């Protein structure tokens, strides 16, 4: 068992199978030693963990849980593409979109649910640059969508 998978097990996290795209895109693209993940949401077994806007239907704590689940789904995509998460040298950047009600400005707190998990899993290699962007709508009313850029080794 890889070190990262062992760490996931210690955290009580079981990765789902890598989700299949429903539209015309690929879940992961590589150029050089970087992989770019398409945006993922907070689905568990095909159902959104939460639905709606932060500051209206979804609390900050629920948004953090949604961001955490979204990163679990991102890790599943990485594992599906790489085969072994130990190939991740470091997480370079997170781009987080938060479905926000008018006046909601706490997007960084929501995205901490994702960032904190990456540091728990990868340690120093999980620290990353990040953008937390509020948006008026996201597909299927997901509260959070996240893209990841990671440096990998062969």
């Amino acid at each position: 068992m890889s070190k990262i998978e062992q760490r996931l097990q210690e955290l009580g996290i079981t990765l789902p199978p890598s989700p299949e795209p429903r539209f015309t895109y690929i879940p992961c693209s590589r150029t050089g030693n970087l992989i770019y993940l398409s945006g993922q949401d907070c689905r568990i077994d095909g159902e959104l963990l939460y639905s709606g806007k932060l500051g209206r239907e979804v609390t900050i704590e629920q948004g953090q849980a949604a961001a955490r689940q979204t990163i679990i789904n991102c890790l599943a995509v990485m594992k599906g593409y790489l085969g072994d998460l130990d190939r991740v040298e470091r997480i370079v950047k997170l781009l987080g979109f938060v479905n926000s009600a008018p006046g909601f400005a706490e997007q960084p707190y929501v995205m901490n649910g994702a960032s904190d998990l990456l540091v728990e899993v990868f340690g120093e290699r999980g620290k990353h640059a990040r953008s937390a962007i509020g948006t008026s709508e996201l597909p299927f009313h997901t509260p959070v969508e996240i893209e990841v850029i990671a440096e990998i080794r062969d």
Side-chain angles (χ1 to χ4, degrees), residues 39-102:
Q40 298 297 312
D41 63 22
C42 64
R43 291 178 195 273
I44 300 174
D45 296 326
E47 299 293 323
L48 291 174
L49 178 61
Y50 296 105
S51 177
K53 295 183 181 298
L54 272 290
R56 194 167 65 201
E57 298 90 2
V58 182
T59 67
I60 289 174
E61 294 77 15
Q62 290 170 325
Q64 289 170 333
R68 179 181 168 91
Q69 181 59 45
T70 302
I71 281 299
I72 290 170
N73 294 340
C74 289
L75 292 172
V77 170
M78 283 192 264
K79 180 170 172 39
Y81 184 80
L82 298 170
D84 181 359
L85 290 173
D86 282 356
R87 291 181 56 199
V88 175
E89 285 290 323
R90 64 187 282 254
I91 304 300
V92 176
K93 171 106 191 234
L94 250 63
L95 177 55
F97 298 95
V98 179
N99 192 354
S100 301

Short mmCIF file of all heavy atoms in Angstrom, two decimals, residues 39-102:
data_model
loop_
_atom_site.label_atom_id
_atom_site.label_comp_id
_atom_site.label_asym_id
_atom_site.label_seq_id
_atom_site.Cartn_x
_atom_site.Cartn_y
_atom_site.Cartn_z
N GLY A 39 -12.86 20.50 -13.22
CA GLY A 39 -13.61 20.81 -12.01
C GLY A 39 -14.41 19.61 -11.51
O GLY A 39 -15.06 18.92 -12.29
N GLN A 40 -14.34 19.40 -10.21
CA GLN A 40 -15.09 18.34 -9.54
C GLN A 40 -16.07 18.98 -8.57
O GLN A 40 -15.89 20.11 -8.14
CB GLN A 40 -14.14 17.40 -8.79
CG GLN A 40 -13.14 16.68 -9.67
CD GLN A 40 -13.80 15.76 -10.66
OE1 GLN A 40 -14.68 14.96 -10.31
NE2 GLN A 40 -13.41 15.87 -11.92
N ASP A 41 -17.09 18.21 -8.21
CA ASP A 41 -18.06 18.69 -7.22
C ASP A 41 -18.12 17.75 -6.03
O ASP A 41 -17.27 16.87 -5.88
CB ASP A 41 -19.43 18.93 -7.86
CG ASP A 41 -20.07 17.67 -8.43
OD1 ASP A 41 -19.72 16.55 -8.02
OD2 ASP A 41 -20.95 17.81 -9.30
N CYS A 42 -19.12 17.92 -5.18
CA CYS A 42 -19.17 17.20 -3.90
C CYS A 42 -20.06 15.96 -3.94
O CYS A 42 -20.68 15.61 -2.93
CB CYS A 42 -19.61 18.17 -2.79
SG CYS A 42 -21.28 18.83 -2.98
N ARG A 43 -20.10 15.26 -5.04
CA ARG A 43 -20.95 14.08 -5.13
C ARG A 43 -20.40 12.90 -4.34
O ARG A 43 -19.20 12.67 -4.29
CB ARG A 43 -21.13 13.65 -6.58
CG ARG A 43 -21.95 14.63 -7.37
CD ARG A 43 -22.09 14.22 -8.83
NE ARG A 43 -22.56 15.35 -9.59
CZ ARG A 43 -23.85 15.65 -9.75
NH1 ARG A 43 -24.77 14.89 -9.23
NH2 ARG A 43 -24.19 16.72 -10.44
N ILE A 44 -21.33 12.16 -3.76
CA ILE A 44 -21.07 10.86 -3.15
C ILE A 44 -22.06 9.90 -3.79
O ILE A 44 -23.27 10.13 -3.72
CB ILE A 44 -21.27 10.88 -1.62
CG1 ILE A 44 -20.34 11.89 -0.96
CG2 ILE A 44 -21.07 9.49 -1.03
CD1 ILE A 44 -20.58 12.08 0.53
N ASP A 45 -21.56 8.87 -4.44
CA ASP A 45 -22.41 7.90 -5.13
C ASP A 45 -23.41 8.58 -6.07
O ASP A 45 -24.58 8.22 -6.13
CB ASP A 45 -23.16 7.01 -4.13
CG ASP A 45 -22.23 6.16 -3.30
OD1 ASP A 45 -21.18 5.73 -3.83
OD2 ASP A 45 -22.53 5.92 -2.11
N GLY A 46 -22.94 9.61 -6.77
CA GLY A 46 -23.76 10.27 -7.77
C GLY A 46 -24.68 11.36 -7.26
O GLY A 46 -25.34 12.03 -8.05
N GLU A 47 -24.75 11.55 -5.95
CA GLU A 47 -25.64 12.57 -5.37
C GLU A 47 -24.81 13.65 -4.70
O GLU A 47 -23.85 13.35 -3.99
CB GLU A 47 -26.57 11.93 -4.33
CG GLU A 47 -27.49 10.86 -4.89
CD GLU A 47 -28.52 11.41 -5.87
OE1 GLU A 47 -29.02 12.54 -5.63
OE2 GLU A 47 -28.81 10.72 -6.86
N LEU A 48 -25.22 14.90 -4.88
CA LEU A 48 -24.52 16.01 -4.22
C LEU A 48 -24.66 15.89 -2.70
O LEU A 48 -25.76 15.61 -2.19
CB LEU A 48 -25.08 17.36 -4.67
CG LEU A 48 -24.78 17.77 -6.11
CD1 LEU A 48 -25.54 19.06 -6.44
CD2 LEU A 48 -23.30 17.97 -6.33
N LEU A 49 -23.56 16.10 -2.00
CA LEU A 49 -23.60 16.11 -0.53
C LEU A 49 -24.51 17.23 -0.06
O LEU A 49 -25.32 17.04 0.86
CB LEU A 49 -22.17 16.29 0.01
CG LEU A 49 -22.00 16.38 1.51
CD1 LEU A 49 -22.48 15.10 2.19
CD2 LEU A 49 -20.53 16.65 1.85
N TYR A 50 -24.39 18.40 -0.65
CA TYR A 50 -25.26 19.55 -0.39
C TYR A 50 -25.59 20.20 -1.72
O TYR A 50 -24.87 20.02 -2.70
CB TYR A 50 -24.58 20.59 0.52
CG TYR A 50 -24.28 20.06 1.90
CD1 TYR A 50 -22.98 19.72 2.25
CD2 TYR A 50 -25.29 19.89 2.84
CE1 TYR A 50 -22.70 19.21 3.52
CE2 TYR A 50 -25.02 19.39 4.10
CZ TYR A 50 -23.73 19.06 4.43
OH TYR A 50 -23.46 18.56 5.67
N SER A 51 -26.65 21.00 -1.73
CA SER A 51 -27.06 21.69 -2.93
C SER A 51 -27.46 23.10 -2.56
O SER A 51 -28.09 23.32 -1.53
CB SER A 51 -28.25 20.95 -3.55
OG SER A 51 -28.72 21.61 -4.69
N GLY A 52 -27.05 24.06 -3.40
CA GLY A 52 -27.49 25.42 -3.17
C GLY A 52 -26.35 26.39 -2.95
O GLY A 52 -25.18 26.07 -3.19
N LYS A 53 -26.71 27.57 -2.49
CA LYS A 53 -25.78 28.67 -2.34
C LYS A 53 -25.32 28.83 -0.90
O LYS A 53 -26.12 28.72 0.03
CB LYS A 53 -26.42 29.98 -2.80
CG LYS A 53 -26.76 30.01 -4.27
CD LYS A 53 -27.33 31.37 -4.63
CE LYS A 53 -27.69 31.42 -6.10
NZ LYS A 53 -26.54 31.25 -6.97
N LEU A 54 -24.02 29.14 -0.78
CA LEU A 54 -23.50 29.49 0.52
C LEU A 54 -24.12 30.82 0.94
O LEU A 54 -24.28 31.72 0.12
CB LEU A 54 -21.98 29.64 0.47
CG LEU A 54 -21.16 28.36 0.71
CD1 LEU A 54 -21.23 27.90 2.15
CD2 LEU A 54 -21.49 27.25 -0.23
N GLY A 55 -24.47 30.92 2.21
CA GLY A 55 -25.10 32.14 2.69
C GLY A 55 -26.61 32.13 2.53
O GLY A 55 -27.29 33.06 2.93
N ARG A 56 -27.15 31.07 1.95
CA ARG A 56 -28.59 30.93 1.82
C ARG A 56 -28.99 29.52 2.23
O ARG A 56 -29.36 29.30 3.37
CB ARG A 56 -29.07 31.28 0.40
CG ARG A 56 -30.57 31.46 0.35
CD ARG A 56 -31.07 32.11 -0.92
NE ARG A 56 -30.81 31.25 -2.07
CZ ARG A 56 -30.75 31.67 -3.31
NH1 ARG A 56 -30.90 32.95 -3.59
NH2 ARG A 56 -30.53 30.83 -4.29
N GLU A 57 -28.85 28.53 1.35
CA GLU A 57 -29.24 27.16 1.71
C GLU A 57 -28.12 26.39 2.40
O GLU A 57 -28.39 25.38 3.06
CB GLU A 57 -29.64 26.35 0.45
CG GLU A 57 -30.83 26.86 -0.31
CD GLU A 57 -30.48 27.86 -1.38
OE1 GLU A 57 -29.29 28.17 -1.59
OE2 GLU A 57 -31.42 28.37 -2.02
N VAL A 58 -26.90 26.82 2.24
CA VAL A 58 -25.74 26.06 2.72
C VAL A 58 -24.95 26.92 3.71
O VAL A 58 -24.61 28.07 3.40
CB VAL A 58 -24.84 25.62 1.53
CG1 VAL A 58 -23.66 24.79 2.01
CG2 VAL A 58 -25.67 24.85 0.50
N THR A 59 -24.63 26.35 4.87
CA THR A 59 -23.84 27.06 5.88
C THR A 59 -22.34 26.96 5.54
O THR A 59 -21.94 26.14 4.70
CB THR A 59 -24.03 26.44 7.27
OG1 THR A 59 -23.48 25.11 7.28
CG2 THR A 59 -25.51 26.40 7.67
N ILE A 60 -21.54 27.76 6.21
CA ILE A 60 -20.09 27.70 6.00
C ILE A 60 -19.58 26.30 6.36
O ILE A 60 -18.77 25.72 5.62
CB ILE A 60 -19.36 28.78 6.82
CG1 ILE A 60 -19.63 30.15 6.21
CG2 ILE A 60 -17.85 28.50 6.86
CD1 ILE A 60 -19.07 31.31 7.01
N GLU A 61 -20.06 25.72 7.45
CA GLU A 61 -19.61 24.38 7.86
C GLU A 61 -19.99 23.33 6.81
O GLU A 61 -19.21 22.44 6.51
CB GLU A 61 -20.19 24.01 9.23
CG GLU A 61 -19.66 24.86 10.37
CD GLU A 61 -20.29 26.27 10.46
OE1 GLU A 61 -21.34 26.51 9.83
OE2 GLU A 61 -19.69 27.11 11.16
N GLN A 62 -21.20 23.44 6.27
CA GLN A 62 -21.61 22.51 5.21
C GLN A 62 -20.78 22.75 3.96
O GLN A 62 -20.40 21.80 3.27
CB GLN A 62 -23.10 22.69 4.89
CG GLN A 62 -24.01 22.20 6.00
CD GLN A 62 -25.46 22.60 5.77
OE1 GLN A 62 -25.75 23.68 5.25
NE2 GLN A 62 -26.38 21.73 6.19
N GLY A 63 -20.47 24.01 3.66
CA GLY A 63 -19.62 24.34 2.52
C GLY A 63 -18.23 23.74 2.69
O GLY A 63 -17.64 23.23 1.73
N GLN A 64 -17.69 23.79 3.90
CA GLN A 64 -16.38 23.18 4.16
C GLN A 64 -16.44 21.67 3.95
O GLN A 64 -15.52 21.08 3.37
CB GLN A 64 -15.93 23.51 5.59
CG GLN A 64 -15.55 24.95 5.76
CD GLN A 64 -15.34 25.34 7.21
OE1 GLN A 64 -15.90 24.75 8.14
NE2 GLN A 64 -14.53 26.37 7.42
N ALA A 65 -17.52 21.04 4.40
CA ALA A 65 -17.68 19.60 4.18
C ALA A 65 -17.81 19.30 2.69
O ALA A 65 -17.26 18.30 2.20
CB ALA A 65 -18.91 19.08 4.95
N ALA A 66 -18.51 20.16 1.96
CA ALA A 66 -18.64 19.97 0.51
C ALA A 66 -17.27 20.12 -0.16
O ALA A 66 -16.93 19.34 -1.06
CB ALA A 66 -19.62 20.99 -0.07
N ALA A 67 -16.47 21.10 0.27
CA ALA A 67 -15.13 21.29 -0.30
C ALA A 67 -14.25 20.09 0.01
O ALA A 67 -13.48 19.63 -0.84
CB ALA A 67 -14.51 22.58 0.24
N ARG A 68 -14.36 19.56 1.21
CA ARG A 68 -13.59 18.36 1.59
C ARG A 68 -13.97 17.18 0.69
O ARG A 68 -13.12 16.48 0.17
CB ARG A 68 -13.84 18.03 3.06
CG ARG A 68 -13.11 16.79 3.56
CD ARG A 68 -13.46 16.54 5.02
NE ARG A 68 -13.03 15.25 5.47
CZ ARG A 68 -11.85 14.99 6.03
NH1 ARG A 68 -10.99 15.97 6.21
NH2 ARG A 68 -11.56 13.76 6.39
N GLN A 69 -15.28 16.96 0.50
CA GLN A 69 -15.72 15.86 -0.37
C GLN A 69 -15.26 16.09 -1.80
O GLN A 69 -14.89 15.14 -2.50
CB GLN A 69 -17.24 15.69 -0.31
CG GLN A 69 -17.75 14.54 -1.17
CD GLN A 69 -17.17 13.20 -0.77
OE1 GLN A 69 -17.10 12.88 0.41
NE2 GLN A 69 -16.75 12.41 -1.75
N THR A 70 -15.27 17.33 -2.23
CA THR A 70 -14.82 17.64 -3.58
C THR A 70 -13.35 17.27 -3.75
O THR A 70 -12.96 16.71 -4.78
CB THR A 70 -15.07 19.13 -3.91
OG1 THR A 70 -16.47 19.40 -3.76
CG2 THR A 70 -14.63 19.47 -5.32
N ILE A 71 -12.52 17.54 -2.74
CA ILE A 71 -11.11 17.16 -2.82
C ILE A 71 -10.96 15.65 -2.79
O ILE A 71 -10.10 15.09 -3.49
CB ILE A 71 -10.29 17.83 -1.69
CG1 ILE A 71 -10.01 19.27 -2.09
CG2 ILE A 71 -8.98 17.10 -1.43
CD1 ILE A 71 -9.19 19.46 -3.37
N ILE A 72 -11.79 14.95 -2.05
CA ILE A 72 -11.76 13.48 -2.09
C ILE A 72 -12.02 13.01 -3.52
O ILE A 72 -11.34 12.12 -4.03
CB ILE A 72 -12.76 12.88 -1.08
CG1 ILE A 72 -12.26 13.14 0.35
CG2 ILE A 72 -12.99 11.39 -1.35
CD1 ILE A 72 -13.26 12.81 1.44
N ASN A 73 -12.98 13.65 -4.19
CA ASN A 73 -13.26 13.29 -5.58
C ASN A 73 -12.10 13.65 -6.50
O ASN A 73 -11.80 12.93 -7.45
CB ASN A 73 -14.57 13.94 -6.03
CG ASN A 73 -15.76 13.37 -5.29
OD1 ASN A 73 -15.70 12.28 -4.72
ND2 ASN A 73 -16.85 14.10 -5.27
N CYS A 74 -11.42 14.76 -6.21
CA CYS A 74 -10.22 15.12 -6.98
C CYS A 74 -9.12 14.07 -6.77
O CYS A 74 -8.44 13.69 -7.73
CB CYS A 74 -9.71 16.50 -6.56
SG CYS A 74 -10.74 17.88 -7.09
N LEU A 75 -8.95 13.62 -5.55
CA LEU A 75 -7.95 12.58 -5.29
C LEU A 75 -8.29 11.29 -6.04
O LEU A 75 -7.40 10.60 -6.53
CB LEU A 75 -7.84 12.31 -3.79
CG LEU A 75 -7.24 13.44 -2.95
CD1 LEU A 75 -7.38 13.13 -1.46
CD2 LEU A 75 -5.79 13.69 -3.32
N ALA A 76 -9.58 11.00 -6.15
CA ALA A 76 -10.00 9.82 -6.91
C ALA A 76 -9.62 9.97 -8.39
O ALA A 76 -9.16 9.01 -9.02
CB ALA A 76 -11.50 9.60 -6.76
N VAL A 77 -9.79 11.17 -8.94
CA VAL A 77 -9.40 11.42 -10.33
C VAL A 77 -7.89 11.24 -10.47
O VAL A 77 -7.41 10.59 -11.41
CB VAL A 77 -9.84 12.82 -10.79
CG1 VAL A 77 -9.23 13.17 -12.14
CG2 VAL A 77 -11.36 12.91 -10.88
N MET A 78 -7.12 11.82 -9.54
CA MET A 78 -5.66 11.69 -9.60
C MET A 78 -5.24 10.23 -9.53
O MET A 78 -4.38 9.80 -10.27
CB MET A 78 -5.00 12.49 -8.48
CG MET A 78 -4.97 13.97 -8.74
SD MET A 78 -3.91 14.85 -7.58
CE MET A 78 -5.10 15.39 -6.39
N LYS A 79 -5.84 9.48 -8.61
CA LYS A 79 -5.50 8.06 -8.49
C LYS A 79 -5.86 7.30 -9.76
O LYS A 79 -5.09 6.47 -10.23
CB LYS A 79 -6.17 7.42 -7.28
CG LYS A 79 -5.80 5.95 -7.13
CD LYS A 79 -6.27 5.39 -5.84
CE LYS A 79 -6.11 3.91 -5.71
NZ LYS A 79 -4.95 3.30 -6.24
N GLY A 80 -7.03 7.61 -10.32
CA GLY A 80 -7.43 6.96 -11.56
C GLY A 80 -6.46 7.24 -12.69
O GLY A 80 -6.19 6.37 -13.52
N TYR A 81 -5.93 8.44 -12.73
CA TYR A 81 -5.00 8.82 -13.80
C TYR A 81 -3.60 8.30 -13.54
O TYR A 81 -2.94 7.77 -14.43
CB TYR A 81 -4.99 10.35 -13.95
CG TYR A 81 -4.12 10.81 -15.10
CD1 TYR A 81 -4.60 10.79 -16.40
CD2 TYR A 81 -2.83 11.27 -14.87
CE1 TYR A 81 -3.81 11.21 -17.46
CE2 TYR A 81 -2.03 11.69 -15.92
CZ TYR A 81 -2.52 11.65 -17.21
OH TYR A 81 -1.73 12.05 -18.25
N LEU A 82 -3.12 8.46 -12.30
CA LEU A 82 -1.73 8.13 -11.96
C LEU A 82 -1.54 6.68 -11.53
O LEU A 82 -0.44 6.14 -11.66
CB LEU A 82 -1.23 9.03 -10.82
CG LEU A 82 -1.18 10.52 -11.11
CD1 LEU A 82 -0.89 11.29 -9.82
CD2 LEU A 82 -0.14 10.82 -12.18
N GLY A 83 -2.58 6.07 -10.98
CA GLY A 83 -2.45 4.72 -10.46
C GLY A 83 -1.91 4.68 -9.04
O GLY A 83 -2.27 3.80 -8.26
N ASP A 84 -1.08 5.65 -8.66
CA ASP A 84 -0.45 5.68 -7.34
C ASP A 84 -0.30 7.13 -6.92
O ASP A 84 0.41 7.90 -7.56
CB ASP A 84 0.92 4.99 -7.41
CG ASP A 84 1.64 4.94 -6.08
OD1 ASP A 84 1.11 5.46 -5.07
OD2 ASP A 84 2.75 4.40 -6.03
N LEU A 85 -0.96 7.51 -5.83
CA LEU A 85 -0.90 8.89 -5.36
C LEU A 85 0.46 9.28 -4.81
O LEU A 85 0.73 10.46 -4.62
CB LEU A 85 -1.99 9.15 -4.32
CG LEU A 85 -3.42 9.16 -4.88
CD1 LEU A 85 -4.44 9.25 -3.76
CD2 LEU A 85 -3.60 10.31 -5.86
N ASP A 86 1.33 8.32 -4.58
CA ASP A 86 2.70 8.65 -4.17
C ASP A 86 3.46 9.34 -5.30
O ASP A 86 4.52 9.92 -5.06
CB ASP A 86 3.46 7.40 -3.72
CG ASP A 86 3.07 6.97 -2.32
OD1 ASP A 86 2.28 7.66 -1.66
OD2 ASP A 86 3.57 5.93 -1.86
N ARG A 87 2.94 9.31 -6.51
CA ARG A 87 3.57 10.01 -7.64
C ARG A 87 3.34 11.52 -7.58
O ARG A 87 3.97 12.26 -8.33
CB ARG A 87 3.03 9.47 -8.96
CG ARG A 87 3.48 8.04 -9.25
CD ARG A 87 2.96 7.56 -10.58
NE ARG A 87 3.36 8.43 -11.67
CZ ARG A 87 2.76 8.46 -12.87
NH1 ARG A 87 1.74 7.65 -13.12
NH2 ARG A 87 3.17 9.29 -13.81
N VAL A 88 2.48 11.97 -6.69
CA VAL A 88 2.24 13.41 -6.55
C VAL A 88 3.41 14.01 -5.78
O VAL A 88 3.63 13.69 -4.62
CB VAL A 88 0.90 13.68 -5.82
CG1 VAL A 88 0.72 15.18 -5.58
CG2 VAL A 88 -0.27 13.12 -6.62
N GLU A 89 4.15 14.89 -6.46
CA GLU A 89 5.27 15.59 -5.82
C GLU A 89 4.76 16.70 -4.92
O GLU A 89 5.28 16.91 -3.84
CB GLU A 89 6.21 16.19 -6.88
CG GLU A 89 7.09 15.17 -7.55
CD GLU A 89 8.15 14.61 -6.62
OE1 GLU A 89 8.69 15.34 -5.79
OE2 GLU A 89 8.42 13.40 -6.73
N ARG A 90 3.77 17.44 -5.43
CA ARG A 90 3.17 18.49 -4.62
C ARG A 90 1.91 19.00 -5.30
O ARG A 90 1.75 18.89 -6.51
CB ARG A 90 4.15 19.65 -4.40
CG ARG A 90 4.57 20.39 -5.64
CD ARG A 90 5.65 21.40 -5.36
NE ARG A 90 5.11 22.61 -4.76
CZ ARG A 90 4.97 23.75 -5.42
NH1 ARG A 90 5.35 23.85 -6.68
NH2 ARG A 90 4.47 24.80 -4.83
N ILE A 91 1.04 19.54 -4.47
CA ILE A 91 -0.14 20.22 -4.98
C ILE A 91 0.30 21.66 -5.27
O ILE A 91 0.80 22.35 -4.39
CB ILE A 91 -1.30 20.19 -3.96
CG1 ILE A 91 -1.64 18.75 -3.55
CG2 ILE A 91 -2.52 20.92 -4.53
CD1 ILE A 91 -2.08 17.84 -4.69
N VAL A 92 0.13 22.08 -6.51
CA VAL A 92 0.61 23.39 -6.93
C VAL A 92 -0.46 24.46 -6.68
O VAL A 92 -0.19 25.51 -6.09
CB VAL A 92 1.01 23.38 -8.42
CG1 VAL A 92 1.41 24.76 -8.89
CG2 VAL A 92 2.13 22.37 -8.65
N LYS A 93 -1.69 24.20 -7.12
CA LYS A 93 -2.73 25.23 -7.08
C LYS A 93 -4.11 24.63 -7.00
O LYS A 93 -4.38 23.61 -7.62
CB LYS A 93 -2.63 26.10 -8.35
CG LYS A 93 -3.76 27.08 -8.57
CD LYS A 93 -3.36 28.48 -8.29
CE LYS A 93 -4.57 29.39 -8.24
NZ LYS A 93 -4.55 30.52 -9.07
N LEU A 94 -4.96 25.28 -6.23
CA LEU A 94 -6.39 24.98 -6.18
C LEU A 94 -7.12 26.20 -6.72
O LEU A 94 -6.80 27.34 -6.36
CB LEU A 94 -6.85 24.80 -4.74
CG LEU A 94 -7.25 23.41 -4.28
CD1 LEU A 94 -6.08 22.50 -4.37
CD2 LEU A 94 -7.78 23.47 -2.89
N LEU A 95 -8.11 25.95 -7.55
CA LEU A 95 -9.02 26.99 -7.99
C LEU A 95 -10.40 26.58 -7.51
O LEU A 95 -10.95 25.57 -7.98
CB LEU A 95 -8.99 27.14 -9.52
CG LEU A 95 -9.95 28.16 -10.12
CD1 LEU A 95 -9.76 29.54 -9.51
CD2 LEU A 95 -9.79 28.21 -11.63
N GLY A 96 -10.92 27.31 -6.54
CA GLY A 96 -12.19 26.95 -5.93
C GLY A 96 -13.28 27.96 -6.27
O GLY A 96 -13.09 29.17 -6.11
N PHE A 97 -14.38 27.44 -6.75
CA PHE A 97 -15.55 28.25 -7.04
C PHE A 97 -16.60 27.95 -5.98
O PHE A 97 -16.91 26.78 -5.72
CB PHE A 97 -16.12 27.92 -8.42
CG PHE A 97 -15.15 28.20 -9.54
CD1 PHE A 97 -14.35 27.19 -10.04
CD2 PHE A 97 -15.05 29.48 -10.07
CE1 PHE A 97 -13.46 27.44 -11.07
CE2 PHE A 97 -14.16 29.73 -11.11
CZ PHE A 97 -13.36 28.71 -11.60
N VAL A 98 -17.16 28.98 -5.38
CA VAL A 98 -18.15 28.83 -4.32
C VAL A 98 -19.45 29.47 -4.79
O VAL A 98 -19.49 30.67 -5.09
CB VAL A 98 -17.66 29.47 -3.00
CG1 VAL A 98 -18.71 29.32 -1.92
CG2 VAL A 98 -16.33 28.85 -2.57
N ASN A 99 -20.50 28.68 -4.88
CA ASN A 99 -21.82 29.14 -5.29
C ASN A 99 -22.35 30.03 -4.17
O ASN A 99 -22.73 29.54 -3.11
CB ASN A 99 -22.71 27.91 -5.52
CG ASN A 99 -24.00 28.24 -6.22
OD1 ASN A 99 -24.34 29.39 -6.46
ND2 ASN A 99 -24.75 27.19 -6.54
N SER A 100 -22.37 31.35 -4.38
CA SER A 100 -22.58 32.31 -3.30
C SER A 100 -23.85 33.12 -3.48
O SER A 100 -24.12 33.65 -4.56
CB SER A 100 -21.40 33.27 -3.24
OG SER A 100 -20.19 32.57 -3.03
N ALA A 101 -24.60 33.25 -2.38
CA ALA A 101 -25.75 34.14 -2.36
C ALA A 101 -25.24 35.59 -2.39
O ALA A 101 -24.10 35.85 -1.99
CB ALA A 101 -26.58 33.90 -1.10
N PRO A 102 -26.05 36.52 -2.85
CA PRO A 102 -25.62 37.93 -2.84
C PRO A 102 -25.17 38.34 -1.43
O PRO A 102 -25.83 38.02 -0.44
CB PRO A 102 -26.88 38.70 -3.27
CG PRO A 102 -27.65 37.71 -4.09
CD PRO A 102 -27.39 36.38 -3.43
#
